[in-house]
Amino acid sequence: MSKDEKIQKLIEKYGGYFENSNADVCHTYKGIGFFFRFAPKHKNFECFIQFETAGQLKNIILGEIVDDINMLIEVAANMIAHEYDYKEINEMTHSGDYEKSINKLFYNLEVLTKSIHMLEGVFKALSGILAEKKEA
């Protein structure tokens, strides 16, 4: 199988990632492969990475998925920590005040729900990885 065929097979395998993100791959006239992610909000590229082999492209895709997951977890954790003003955790979880506790719960669930909703696309993108693990 040629290098281009291996790359095309990998793109098809991780099709869920490309369908659920602003990422794509191009092959230039000169034969250079590029992976890129476009940020429509800012009308520019989040990343533009050259690759030569299917293995390099796979590492780029997996790295982008991992970065997305880490970023969403960090944002949710940071929002919750900021809301509590970085106080002692026992003070925040055992207030003894029902109204205060229920308001904290609603806030935490709202932050987590937004994060989980944002992760939907990332998890869909993992379909190729999960299929790969099942085959192994």
Side-chain angles (χ1 to χ4, degrees):
M1 186 180 318
S2 74
K3 179 175 93 169
D4 288 342
E5 289 171 333
K6 289 177 184 176
I7 290 170
Q8 186 58 42
K9 187 173 181 177
L10 183 73
I11 291 169
E12 290 169 8
K13 181 177 183 175
Y14 291 103
Y17 173 74
F18 293 103
E19 290 171 14
N20 293 289
S21 72
N22 290 323
D24 209 337
V25 174
C26 69
H27 191 100
T28 69
Y29 177 77
K30 295 179 181 179
I32 301 169
F34 287 101
F35 170 92
F36 59 91
R37 256 174 91 161
F38 189 73
K41 180 179 179 181
H42 303 292
K43 297 182 181 178
N44 63 10
F45 292 101
E46 292 176 358
C47 69
F48 202 82
I49 306 168
Q50 183 178 347
F51 66 90
E52 294 179 14
T53 67
Q56 289 172 338
L57 177 58
K58 180 179 178 179
N59 288 340
I60 293 168
I61 294 168
L62 296 178
E64 288 294 307
I65 292 171
V66 168
D67 286 348
D68 287 348
I69 293 169
N70 283 331
M71 187 247 341
L72 292 171
I73 291 169
E74 290 167 9
V75 166
N78 197 20
M79 287 178 70
I80 290 171
H82 180 71
E83 175 67 17
Y84 295 145
D85 202 23
Y86 302 98
K87 294 179 182 172
E88 171 64 38
I89 191 67
N90 285 332
E91 291 176 32
M92 301 315 301
T93 56
H94 304 292
S95 71
D97 181 345
Y98 172 76
E99 284 295 319
K100 195 174 184 180
S101 293
I102 200 74
N103 287 334
K104 287 177 194 173
L105 175 62
F106 284 138
Y107 177 80
N108 289 345
L109 290 175
E110 181 181 28
V111 169
L112 293 173
T113 300
K114 285 179 182 175
S115 296
I116 289 169
H117 178 70
M118 292 167 57
L119 280 170
E120 269 185 295
V122 176
F123 286 133
K124 287 179 185 176
L126 290 172
S127 62
I129 299 167
L130 297 175
E132 180 182 298
K133 294 287 183 192
K134 287 180 184 178
E135 292 171 8

